[in-house]
Amino acid sequence: MLTIENLTNEIDGKAILKGLSLSINAGEIHAIMGPNGAGKSTLAYTLGGRPNYEVTGGTASFDGVNLFSLDPHERAAAGLFLGFQYPVEIPGVSNLQFLRESLNSQKRARGEKELNGGEFIRLAKEKAALLGLDMDMLKRPVNVGFSGGEKKRAEMVQMGILDPKLAILDETDSGLDIDALKVVGAGINAIMRKPDKAVLLITHYQRLLDYVKPDFVHVLAGGRIVKSGGPELALDLEREGYAEVLGAEVVTA
Ligand SMILES: Nc1ncnc2c1ncn2[C@@H]1O[C@H](COP(=O)(O)OP(=O)(O)OP(=O)(O)O)[C@@H](O)[C@H]1O
Ligand SMILES: [Mg+2]
C-alpha cells in the first residue's frame, strides 16, 4: 500500500530524514518508535504534504501513485489520514461542520455521492459513540478548549468518519487516561483493522500496542529506520532502552 524508498528531506534547509525506507502492506499494522527528535513527526508531516517539508530525494508510492505528485487534499481524498501529535484548534468552525465538509469534499474528489445532513449526523453519532465522545463535544469549535485526551478522541472520530485506507497516527496515546487508552485502542481496531487498510502508529510506549497489536515494529533514529522486528522489539526497547538495543552510536548518529 505504501512503499517509501530512501527518503530524504529538509526543513528550512536542515536535513531531517536521511534515507528512510519502509514498506507497508494492506492488512498490516506497523509501529514506529524512536528517540525524541529522531524525525518521526517529520515523516508523518512529509507524507501528509506539509508546506516547508521539502523532499530532497527518494520516493513514496501510495497504492502505486507517486505520493509527492499529489497536493495534501488529494492525498487525503486518496485515503491517507494523519493523526497529529498536537491537534490544531480551529475557532469559529464546529466539529460537525468541519467533519461534514471534510468528508463531502473527499467524496466529491472521488466522484462519490455526498451525504446529506441527516445521513451525516447518523454517521457522526455512530462514530462518536464508538469513541465514547459526547455529541455535544462535536457541536463545539474544533478542539477549542478540549483537553488533551478529548482532542485525541475527536481525532479518532474524524478518522472513523473519513474511513481512510492508511492512517498515520502520531502519538495518539499521549494524553489519554487509562480508560480512554482502551476505548481509543478499540476504536482504532474497529475502524482500521481490516484486510484493505493499514496503520502506522508512532508511539513512545508499549501501552497502546497492548490494545492495537502491531505486526511490525521499527525504530527510527537519526532520520532513518535503523532496526525492524516483530512486537517483541517494542518490549525489548521498553525494558532495555534505545542505547542498549541499538548501540549508543546509532542513537546519537
Ligand atoms: N521548522 C523546523 N526547523 C528546524 N528544525 C526542525 C523544524 N521542525 C522540526 N525540526 C527538527 O527536526 C527534528 C525531528 O523532529 P520531529 O518532530 O520529527 O521528531 P520526533 O521524532 O517526532 O520527536 P518526538 O518524539 O519528540 O515527537 C528535530 O531535531 C526538530 O528540532
Ligand atoms: Mg513527534
Side-chain angles (χ1 to χ4, degrees), residues 11-12 14 16 34-43 45 53 85-86 170-171 202 204 220:
I11 308 173
D12 300 334
K14 185 181 171 206
I16 310 288
N36 292 133
K40 302 180 299 297
S41 296
T42 302
L43 171 64
Y45 284 137
Y53 283 57
Q85 183 171 0
Y86 303 108
D170 194 356
E171 297 197 27
I202 297 171
H204 282 295
L220 203 171

Side-chain angles (χ1 to χ4, degrees), residues 51-223:
N52 299 330
Y53 283 57
E54 195 197 338
V55 175
T56 50
T59 57
S61 153
F62 181 48
D63 269 347
V65 175
N66 172 8
L67 194 64
F68 302 136
S69 71
L70 305 178
D71 286 337
H73 68 274
E74 294 172 324
R75 299 180 198 194
L80 183 69
F81 177 86
L82 221 62
F84 292 107
Q85 183 171 0
Y86 303 108
V88 290
E89 302 187 357
I90 314 179
V93 179
S94 83
N95 270 289
L96 287 173
Q97 283 173 305
F98 170 70
L99 293 169
R100 186 174 168 196
E101 188 45 44
S102 308
L103 176 64
N104 279 338
S105 62
Q106 292 194 2
K107 284 188 174 293
R108 271 195 302 279
R110 294 195 291 258
E112 297 169 6
K113 189 173 161 287
E114 296 180 33
L115 294 194
N116 66 33
E119 290 166 334
F120 173 75
I121 289 293
R122 270 196 297 284
L123 178 68
K125 273 192 181 148
E126 180 200 324
K127 301 305 175 187
L130 192 64
L131 272 304
L133 196 79
D134 200 288
M135 275 301 277
D136 285 344
M137 298 287 298
L138 293 186
K139 293 178 186 151
R140 286 168 50 180
V142 177
N143 288 325
V144 177
F146 281 26
S147 75
E150 288 166 350
K151 287 180 183 172
K152 298 289 180 164
R153 280 187 200 227
E155 217 174 23
M156 293 303 98
V157 173
Q158 185 188 350
M159 181 172 81
I161 287 172
L162 297 179
D163 196 26
K165 276 190 209 161
L166 173 65
I168 301 173
L169 305 180
D170 194 356
E171 297 197 27
T172 293
D173 52 339
S174 77
L176 294 179
D177 68 42
I178 294 159
D179 295 334
L181 189 63
K182 251 189 222 179
V183 172
V184 166
I188 295 172
N189 287 327
I191 298 163
M192 295 302 298
R193 196 178 267 289
K194 303 199 171 149
D196 56 342
K197 295 182 186 288
V199 181
L200 180 59
L201 287 174
I202 297 171
T203 185
H204 282 295
Y205 303 104
Q206 171 63 30
R207 58 192 180 196
L208 181 63
L209 307 182
D210 286 337
Y211 299 108
V212 185
K213 299 230 178 324
D215 302 293
F216 301 95
V217 174
H218 311 275
V219 182
L220 203 171

